Structures are given as structure tokens and as C-alpha cells.
Amino acid sequence: MDELRELYQEVILDHNKKPRNFHALPEPARKSEGYNPLCGDRLTIYLHVKGDVIADVAFQGSGCAIFKASASMMTSALKGKTLMDAQVLFERFHRVVSGQGTAEELETLGSLRAFAGVSEFPARVKCATLAWHTLKAGLENKQTAISTE
Amino acid sequence: MTPDIFDPAKYRADFPVRAETVYGKPLIYFDNAATTQKPLPVIDTISRFYSRENANIHRGVFCLSEKATQAYESARIKVQRFLNARSTREIIFTRGTTEAINIVASAFSKVFLKAGDEILITHLEHHSNIVPWQMAAEASGAVLRVAPINEAGEVILSEFARLLTPKTRIAALAHVSNALGTINPVQEMIRLAHEKNIPVLVDGAQAVSHMKVDLQELDCEFYTFSAHKMFGPTGTGVLYGKEAWLEKMPPVQGGGDMIRSVTFEKTTYNELPYKFEAGTPHIVGVIALGTAVDYLQRVGLERIATYEQELLTYATKALSAIPGLRIIGQAKEKAAVISFVLGAAHAHDIGTILDREGIAIRAGHHCAMPVMDFFKVPATARASFAFYNSKAEVDVLAAALRKVQEIFR
């Protein structure tokens, strides 16, 4: 039960219940789509980039708690960040949820530290990273839908 | 005379996996619709064959090959008797249900289907009984028609009958829905199709290990199933086809056992059932399927069906009592499968939490996305039972689901 509490932390359950930035952005925002065929998680990320700054980012979609909380907290964390910051955060987040992160990296994640518990649940790493992969594709302007398979 | 009380504990002893623990908890295996566990006789058959009996079949002139051929062919006889097929010529070994359906769909697209013809399936089908027909439709210009279901998850029979038209060349339908557990009234559906001279393929993957199947009674043209969902190994399955139809169908793959003679100008195909068995088959898989058939018959399919219905009633009651739990698929005739959603908890979250309690269930779309779309859910959690499951295990499931609720309250 301890590992489950570690996974389903209050902050994650809260973001699952009340996702932030959970809406579409009007044109000319970029759109990118992500899908996890394993459990049916599906989302659209809307991105508004000004120069090299993420001016606004939002999402819509449905899926499990880990997925939804991750998308919600990612959008909260990235608003106003530079593209370079976003890239660095993505790499650190990815290492932490897959159990490869260092203690220092964990420290710099801020509220995203809540996802460290995911590393004990290998089957759920994809749920935590789907929004991030989809965002990355949006930033790189890839047209095809991102799948975790 | 003492009444026949079915004691699952007696049969559990046959399954070595019963002793496994998961995160320190005894394994409770409720993913039987995906694949069943294997009893000792099946495991022993595989181990013995590879330890002492391994040889390729057919055409070998040495003792070991003759024995292997005999074991392989005697599995065919076992399957023929198990299903009450007329002849072993009608029993074709495949890699599984999916390959069996593909053989029929592919042959139909080459020989029996033309532009404007219709193929009828139901809304309940597994992707394996949708996609091969879509491919056949695309290749031939035929049209795929889908018989709708009602809110209980049952095929609307009047609609099914209406969609059997003079253009329908084949109807393909699940005996039991893997996603919902609905038992289709296949007997009646086959009768309706036959009134219009339409052949029927039944996907029996979810049926053969849970109820008695008699092909003479059903009278369908094709019946398909997989060994691994009936306590046998993966990678092996069966295509039953009425001889007259199999004779008319071209082989799908060339090579190996399906050939009688080859010159560069012309190849003569082997007779049934070998015409459809190209290449060295999964020999030990087939032999172990024969062992699984023996095992199932020893336990008794009527007794299994009765016990599983009792377990289903018990589990339905226990799960319905959990506030916020909604059972998806409430057909009057159901196999021991319960698909459900639970409040704000996504199926995948339910699966993770139950796993930590040692309970294996499936979470997702169960390869039946159109069914999920119909009920407007992205995914369901599914507990599917077998005769080795007990009421005590269902109690553990119900208690664990209350923990899910606690986390997601």
C-alpha cells in the first residue's frame, strides 16, 4: 500500500480530479496529438510559442490518473519557460520516472517530483511521459500522432 | 447419492502457478479471457516431447518421427471428437483464432467475394473478427455490414436478420464476446443465415473452454478457437470448416506440408486438412492442445459451465454492491466475464492497484474498440473467470476494489 500511496500522491489525485489548463487554445496555436494504445490514454496538446518562449500551453483528452495529472502539471510547469528549459525539464523528468534520475535532478523538478513514485511501476512510465512526448512532437512540429507503442 | 459439488480447490492443485505470489500476496488470476493458466499434464506434455520425443512430423521414416506424427494426428482426432466434427479432414491446425479467421477471410476475398457483395459481422466482435473482413472487403470491393447491439450488450436479433440480404456472402460472429461476456444466440443466428443460404463463421475463442460446443448441432460452416484460452499452449489454434467449403477454398500459404508435388510448371496441393497447413507446424503445441482437450473433458464442460455461472452470479452481486461501480454489458446470457468502470478511477489505475493486491485483471479496450465506443467509455477493467477461481478470490477482489475507491474518493 505504501508504494501505491507514493504513486497516487494527493497532488496527483488533485490534478486528476481538477486538471489545470484543460482546454483548447484558439488558432494559430500548434496542435499535437498523443495516444497510448495500451490503455487508451489520448490527448491533444495546444501550444503557443513566442520567439523561444512557451507563451501558453493547454491540453484536452482522457485517460488514467497518472496520465492526466502528468499533462496537467506539465502544462503548469512549462508556461513561460524557454524551449531550452522545456527540453532540459523533459529529459530530467524522463530519467526520474524511469528510475534513472539523480537526487540533484529530483530536487530541480519542483512539484513534478510527485511523479518519482512512478519508477516503481514500470508499466505506468508511459502514462507519465505521454504528454511530454506529445509536447516535444508539437515543439518539433511533427504532424503525425505520437504513440507510446 | 451425494450431489455433485464442484470444488475449484481440487482442480487448482493441477495448476503449478497457484503457488505464485505477487508483491507477497497469493496470485489471484482473473485474466482468463486473455489467456488461461496451464495444468500440469499440458506442461508435462511439452517438456516430455522436447526431452524425449522431438522429431519433425510426416515423411520421416524413423521411429521418432513416426511417433511424433502419430501424436500430432491423434491430437486432431481428439479435437474432432471434442467438437463433434464429422471428419479429421475438417480440423486444420493454425497459429490461433486470428490466423484461422484470416485463412477464411482471405480465401473468401479471392474466390467468393466480388464488388457489391456483403459481409455481415456484429458490433461485439474482437478486432480479429473485424479486421480480416475489412481487408477482404477492401481487396474484393465487398461491403462490411455490422449488426448493432442494445444497451445490455446483446446483438439485436431482428437487425441481424434484416442485415442478412441476398448480397450477404458470409456472416462472421463471436460465440462469446471477450469484452463483455455476452453469449450470442449462435444457434438461432446460424439458422437465420441458413434460411438465406449464407455460410457462418463462429469465433469460438471465448467459448470452447467454458461450454460444450457441438458442431453438428450448431451446423456452422466455420468455427475457430485458440489453444491458449483453453489451458493449452500459445501459438496453436484450430480452424474447423465443413469439408465442402474447405475443398472450394484456395490455400493461403504455400510450402511444406500443403504440397503433394512440385515442378516449376505446376504444383499440386495436398488433400485436406494439410492443404492449409503450410510449413512445419507448432508440433508440440498441437500435441499439448490434445492434452488440454483430454484435461477439459476429465473435468467436464457441463460441470465447468454450471460452476462458472454460479461464480458469475456471486461476483456480479459482490461487485454491484460497490458504490460507483458500473458493470458494462449485462446480457441475459453471459459467460463468466465482468467488464466494469468504477467512479473516477480509470481502468488502468484500477489494474495497478489490484496488481499490488496480487490480483491480475485486464484494463483497456480488450481489442474491441467499437464496443468501448458504443458504451462511451475509453476502457474498462475486466475480470474473467475460469473453473479454478473461487468465491473467496472474488471476495478479495471486492475488498481490493473498495481500496481503489478509497484512493479515488
Side-chain angles (χ1 to χ4, degrees):
Chain A
M1 203 67 182
D2 285 353
E3 278 174 343
L4 282 175
R5 285 291 176 200
E6 199 56 40
L7 179 68
Y8 293 108
Q9 294 189 18
E10 282 307 325
V11 60
I12 288 181
L13 293 170
D14 177 62
H15 274 264
N16 174 48
K17 216 183 248 176
K18 293 176 292 199
R20 324 294 199 264
N21 308 308
F22 193 53
H23 51 78
L25 289 180
E27 299 269 347
R30 288 186 214 170
K31 254 167 74 171
S32 65
E33 290 183 5
Y35 178 48
N36 176 356
L38 182 71
C39 51
D41 296 342
R42 195 183 278 280
L43 91 162
T44 306
I45 287 198
Y46 301 89
L47 259 174
H48 191 44
V49 180
K50 265 190 195 153
D52 69 340
V53 173
I54 297 173
D56 204 358
V57 53
F59 80 104
Q60 282 183 316
S62 66
C64 67
I66 304 303
F67 149 77
K68 210 181 219 178
S70 173
S72 169
M73 291 171 75
M74 176 191 80
T75 54
S76 304
L78 289 183
K79 239 187 252 190
K81 291 275 195 315
T82 65
L83 299 180
M84 186 60 88
D85 290 343
Q87 180 66 25
V88 170
L89 203 56
F90 172 61
E91 280 161 18
R92 278 184 199 152
F93 181 82
H94 204 278
R95 276 199 294 274
V96 165
V97 296
S98 48
Q100 297 155 5
T102 62
E104 292 81 44
E105 281 177 324
L106 188 60
E107 275 312 302
T108 59
L109 277 184
S111 61
L112 295 173
R113 270 179 307 183
F115 289 94
V118 174
S119 64
E120 293 296 324
F121 296 80
R124 305 305 297 278
V125 171
K126 284 175 179 176
C127 309
T129 55
L130 176 64
W132 288 87
H133 284 293
T134 309
L135 173 96
K136 195 162 178 266
L139 289 172
E140 290 163 4
N141 244 337
K142 282 187 188 156
Q143 293 302 314
T144 48
I146 291 308
S147 165
T148 55
E149 289 294 286
Chain B
M1 207 178 123
T2 49
D4 176 25
I5 295 168
F6 192 96
D7 179 11
K10 194 178 139 194
Y11 301 105
R12 284 176 85 84
D14 298 331
F15 292 79
V17 79
R18 76 188 180 285
E20 288 301 305
T21 56
V22 178
Y23 306 110
K25 311 255 169 70
L27 169 69
I28 295 179
Y29 188 77
F30 285 155
D31 196 20
N32 293 288
T35 194
T36 54
Q37 296 297 341
K38 317 305 171 199
L40 208 51
V42 167
I43 298 168
D44 283 348
T45 296
I46 295 168
S47 158
R48 193 181 57 240
F49 183 82
Y50 280 138
S51 306
R52 300 174 52 197
E53 300 161 359
N54 180 55
N56 208 335
I57 53 168
H58 302 143
R59 296 177 308 276
V61 291
F62 53 95
C63 173
L64 220 52
S65 172
E66 277 169 13
K67 273 190 181 162
T69 305
Q70 204 174 19
Y72 184 85
E73 291 305 327
S74 83
R76 204 186 303 273
I77 298 170
K78 286 176 188 178
V79 171
Q80 177 228 330
R81 289 182 182 156
F82 177 60
L83 297 174
N84 195 20
R86 239 178 255 283
S87 141
T88 50
R89 293 163 60 82
E90 300 178 321
I91 304 297
I92 291 151
F93 291 120
T94 66
R95 280 195 297 136
T97 308
T98 301
E99 188 179 59
I101 297 172
N102 273 278
I103 289 173
V104 179
S106 166
F108 263 69
S109 79
K110 282 180 194 148
V111 181
F112 306 122
L113 292 170
K114 59 179 192 307
D117 284 349
E118 293 174 3
I119 301 161
L120 180 60
I121 61 170
T122 84
H123 200 120
L124 281 179
E125 302 311 311
H126 186 283
H127 293 166
S128 292
N129 202 24
I130 302 174
V131 181
W133 300 112
Q134 279 177 333
M135 290 160 72
E138 198 170 323
S140 64
V143 183
L144 189 67
R145 298 264 182 243
V146 184
I149 52 176
N150 62 23
E151 285 298 323
E154 297 162 321
V155 173
I156 304 168
L157 218 52
S158 56
E159 285 296 301
F160 175 79
R162 194 180 62 80
L163 287 162
L164 292 164
T165 75
K167 288 181 180 168
T168 312
R169 293 289 162 266
I170 187 163
L173 42 110
H175 196 157
V176 173
S177 150
N178 74 305
L180 305 179
T182 309
I183 303 175
N184 269 328
V186 282
Q187 186 90 65
E188 175 67 4
M189 293 166 93
I190 293 164
R191 195 188 60 76
L192 287 167
H194 283 183
E195 274 178 7
K196 296 176 179 168
N197 288 320
I198 297 164
V200 179
L201 176 141
V202 178
D203 166 5
Q206 297 295 335
V208 279
S209 62
H210 302 288
M211 60 191 69
K212 182 94 190 89
V213 173
D214 184 326
L215 290 173
Q216 297 313 308
E217 241 169 66
L218 281 184
D219 199 30
C220 54
E221 279 62 32
F222 304 99
Y223 197 93
T224 61
F225 63 93
S226 298
H228 75 97
K229 292 190 204 290
M230 54 178 291
F231 316 102
T234 55
T236 301
V238 169
L239 164 62
Y240 157 83
K242 281 187 183 169
E243 202 170 330
W245 279 92
L246 293 176
E247 289 289 3
K248 284 188 280 186
M249 283 163 50
V252 174
Q253 291 188 346
D257 271 349
M258 57 78 70
I259 290 153
R260 177 165 290 152
S261 73
V262 175
T263 65
F264 288 118
E265 288 70 39
K266 175 139 184 79
T267 293
T268 314
Y269 301 136
N270 206 339
E271 59 181 13
L272 286 174
Y274 310 108
K275 183 171 101 175
F276 294 99
E277 292 180 6
T280 295
H282 185 0
I283 299 168
V284 72
V286 165
I287 297 170
L289 164 60
T291 309
V293 166
D294 290 341
Y295 181 81
L296 262 172
Q297 287 181 320
R298 274 204 303 280
V299 181
L301 275 157
E302 279 91 354
R303 297 178 70 231
I304 288 173
T306 307
Y307 172 69
E308 287 182 359
Q309 282 302 312
E310 188 184 316
L311 196 60
L312 174 67
T313 305
Y314 184 84
T316 303
K317 201 171 157 204
L319 266 55
S320 302
I322 297 168
L325 189 144
R326 179 161 72 101
I327 294 178
I328 306 289
Q330 311 214 28
K332 279 193 260 337
E333 296 293 328
K334 250 187 93 167
V337 172
I338 300 183
S339 227
F340 61 93
V341 292
L342 178 55
H346 186 275
H348 211 179
D349 296 311
I350 298 172
T352 291
I353 296 167
L354 294 186
D355 180 42
R356 294 282 153 156
E357 300 294 322
I359 306 167
I361 58 139
R362 190 141 290 251
H365 52 61
H366 318 295
C367 293
M369 286 182 177
V371 174
M372 301 294 114
D373 291 344
F374 177 84
F375 287 100
K376 298 183 177 61
V377 290
T380 70
R382 181 190 70 187
S384 53
F385 308 102
F387 64 85
Y388 41 58
N389 292 129
S390 67
K391 290 177 185 169
E393 288 179 320
V394 171
D395 292 339
V396 178
L397 170 66
L401 286 171
R402 289 179 196 274
K403 277 185 193 170
V404 174
Q405 245 189 345
E406 209 178 289
I407 291 175
F408 281 88
R409 76 182 176 281

